[in-house]
Amino acid sequence: MMHGRKRRVLSQAFSDNALKGMEDVMLIHIRRFCAILAGEPAGEGGKYKNNFAVQNLAEWFGYLTYDVMGELCFGKSFDMLIDSARRRMVHLVDRAAYRHYVCGLWTPLDRWHLDQILIRTLTNDRWNFIMKSRVEASERAKERTQAGHDAKRDFFYFLLNAKDPETGKGLTTPELWGEANVLMIAGSDTTSTSLAATIFYLVRNTGAMANLMKEVRGNFSNVDEIVSGTRLNDLIYLKSCIDEAMRLAPAVPGAIPREVMEGGVEVDGVFLPEGTDCGTPAFSIHRHPDYYRDPLSYIPERWIQGATCQTAVGSWKSTKDTVEAARRAFCPFSIGPRGCIGKSMALMELRLTIARMMFLFDIQFADGTGEDEEGHFAMVDHFVVAKNGPNVTIRKRAVR
Ligand code: HEM
């Protein structure tokens, strides 16, 4: 019931109108991100300059997505893209999510405070994260409350104005920072994993990258035209490249536990009694040969009916049936009443960022960082994903 109420409050923040406002925030940071990768002055007053030969995109995408979410949750960017002193937060968020995952798998760790003995460093890091974000949230709450409830209609606005229909009370300050923190974790790390995975599979599959560049460069003649709307949404190869990366590298890869309700349930011929915790990892579903032909190959064409799917050992044509089966099994955002509420926002950020990168840059895999021993995007499941890379070299596209 509590979940339903919070979800109703938050869903107002994802209306079409609200999404338009989010795009403006995203674009400020995506432009800054692209300028930094291009080695242009991008910081305040144009003083900042960054011109590395090799870029670790897990890091840069992390700074980008945290800056976007910081501004949307707290009304102010963390400025990680332009201020290296502010970047430690990314690491702490990963640690906080990891601790949550470990304690969720064995609840006595939390209940009996065994976490302070058995996973002390992790617990301390999580505490550091809480302290940091509590300060951040209280400051923002103060600023925003003073600015009045009619300030910017971002996530904070909706949280600040949320009322319990029964009691008429708003969220307390601890509840407010709790909710803002959940959003920060849910919205930044997942998006940066999906961005990094997409570029990883593109630099490892240069044929797919060439097709995507052709699609983006053929449909836009100026980078500033790349904004959301039908022109961008109609880029079918772009969407397929992103979906195919999220299939092989889902940003929440592990089993999301659900508890069986009263009366039990039968799953796949097995009876699970009431109270059983169960779940299936998206990672396993997404690589199952019943749903995906050549499941370990990166083939964006599998999402496009009638397209030829090329693998190392031959080719096949995707049909209405193969596309439908693939769609039905695809669940990077989970499904049902607890499925991702931020899906449209995430897809907007993914499309804008990847399309702008394809328009502006020529990108190459640099030194193998970001790849696991099986040739896939290297991820460690911490509920969200710990990742490093891909390392790439980026050059501004040669304009003829
Ligand atoms: C590619 C990016 C993203 C992926 C792959 C993703 C994935 C997911 C998944 C799998 C869940 C279900 C978790 C569970 O059941 O425990 C979830 C829930 C959620 N996501 Fe996302 N997410 C993404 C981006 C975002 C963004 C950008 C936001 C917000 C700004 C967001 C906000 C949320 C929230 C609030 C929930 C909890 C929903 C609820 O419990 O009702 N996510 N997401």
Side-chain angles (χ1 to χ4, degrees):
M1 232 149 50
M2 164 113 84
H3 171 258
R5 179 173 68 83
K6 287 191 175 165
R7 183 145 179 137
R8 276 192 298 280
V9 167
L10 208 55
S11 61
Q12 302 167 51
F14 292 94
S15 67
D16 286 349
N17 240 347
L19 274 172
K20 189 71 210 135
M22 288 180 203
E23 181 182 14
D24 296 340
V25 170
M26 270 175 211
L27 283 175
I28 293 171
H29 297 284
I30 294 172
R31 278 196 199 99
R32 183 177 277 174
F33 165 84
C34 289
I36 290 170
L37 290 187
E40 288 167 9
E44 306 305 333
K47 276 180 279 176
Y48 186 81
K49 189 158 168 75
N50 190 339
N51 208 353
F52 302 136
V54 174
Q55 315 279 8
N56 184 325
L57 286 186
E59 288 176 4
W60 284 111
F61 284 137
Y63 310 146
L64 168 66
T65 55
Y66 277 82
D67 281 358
V68 169
M69 282 306 290
E71 185 151 354
L72 291 176
C73 288
F74 300 121
K76 200 167 165 189
S77 161
F78 292 113
D79 281 347
M80 290 189 194
L81 277 172
I82 53 171
D83 183 353
S84 57
R86 313 206 57 185
R87 294 176 181 168
R88 198 174 134 67
M89 183 83 151
V90 180
H91 169 69
L92 292 183
V93 168
D94 173 66
R95 302 288 287 168
Y98 190 21
R99 186 232 168 238
H100 198 57
Y101 199 33
V102 174
C103 291
L105 290 175
W106 195 52
T107 47
L109 273 177
D110 191 56
R111 208 171 331 122
W112 300 334
H113 304 298
L114 295 177
D115 57 340
Q116 282 155 21
I117 303 164
L118 297 176
I119 47 166
R120 212 173 54 199
T121 328
L122 198 56
T123 301
N124 287 346
D125 280 352
R126 179 221 179 210
W127 190 243
N128 273 338
F129 166 68
I130 289 180
M131 294 314 288
K132 253 176 161 313
S133 54
R134 190 178 290 183
V135 171
E136 193 84 39
S138 317
E139 277 174 13
R140 295 296 152 258
K142 218 185 297 157
E143 280 171 26
R144 293 298 295 272
T145 317
Q146 280 161 2
H149 282 205
D150 292 328
K152 274 198 274 187
R153 293 193 171 231
D154 52 19
F155 295 132
F156 211 87
Y157 169 89
F158 289 104
L159 294 174
L160 206 58
N161 287 290
K163 293 264 185 298
D164 185 326
E166 279 164 30
T167 63
K169 283 194 181 144
L171 297 177
T172 60
T173 302
E175 275 183 315
L176 206 56
W177 68 254
E179 292 299 314
N181 272 342
V182 168
L183 273 176
M184 272 302 307
I185 300 180
S188 340
D189 196 276
T190 47
T191 310
S192 74
T193 299
S194 307
L195 285 166
T198 305
I199 296 293
F200 169 81
Y201 284 106
L202 288 171
V203 291
R204 289 286 282 106
N205 294 274
T206 47
M209 185 152 68
N211 289 340
L212 179 56
M213 282 180 171
K214 200 165 152 211
E215 180 180 65
V216 174
R217 295 175 186 186
N219 276 281
F220 296 99
S221 48
N222 185 309
V223 71
D224 290 322
E225 291 170 12
I226 303 180
V227 290
S228 43
T230 45
R231 254 174 102 189
L232 187 61
N233 292 353
D234 284 352
L235 299 189
I236 183 163
Y237 203 77
L238 172 65
K239 179 69 172 32
S240 306
C241 288
I242 294 170
D243 283 352
E244 185 64 348
M246 289 199 290
R247 179 182 73 81
L248 287 166
V252 182
I256 302 173
R258 295 289 184 260
E259 190 176 305
V260 176
M261 314 245 305
E262 206 181 327
V265 71
E266 191 176 306
V267 179
D268 215 8
V270 179
F271 181 74
L272 304 176
E274 174 184 341
T276 313
D277 289 336
C278 56
T280 311
F283 187 90
S284 323
I285 301 175
H286 286 179
R287 291 174 180 224
H288 200 296
D290 282 0
Y291 317 125
Y292 301 100
R293 188 164 168 180
D294 294 316
L296 299 182
S297 303
Y298 181 80
I299 314 174
E301 288 77 7
R302 76 167 74 247
W303 299 99
I304 306 168
Q305 193 179 321
T308 302
C309 300
Q310 207 75 48
T311 69
V313 288
S315 68
W316 46 275
K317 248 192 174 26
S318 73
T319 63
K320 188 164 179 278
D321 287 348
T322 61
V323 174
E324 273 176 10
R327 280 264 154 249
R328 269 202 305 274
F330 190 54
C331 55
F333 295 99
S334 189
I335 51 170
R338 281 181 186 261
C340 182
I341 201 172
K343 181 176 168 184
S344 7
M345 175 189 159
L347 288 175
M348 183 193 266
E349 196 166 350
L350 286 162
R351 280 189 169 112
L352 288 171
T353 310
I354 301 289
R356 283 181 175 236
M357 288 178 80
M358 291 297 125
F359 186 88
L360 289 171
F361 303 123
D362 291 325
I363 308 172
Q364 279 180 334
F365 201 25
D367 54 18
T369 304
E371 182 165 79
D372 69 14
E373 50 293 343
E374 283 157 6
H376 283 281
F377 184 49
M379 309 194 290
V380 182
D381 180 13
H382 284 179
F383 181 46
V384 288
V385 163
K387 60 223 171 253
N388 179 26
N391 275 5
V392 299
T393 52
I394 291 192
R395 281 185 199 83
K396 273 200 258 185
R397 154 195 182 188
V399 183
R400 275 149 283 132

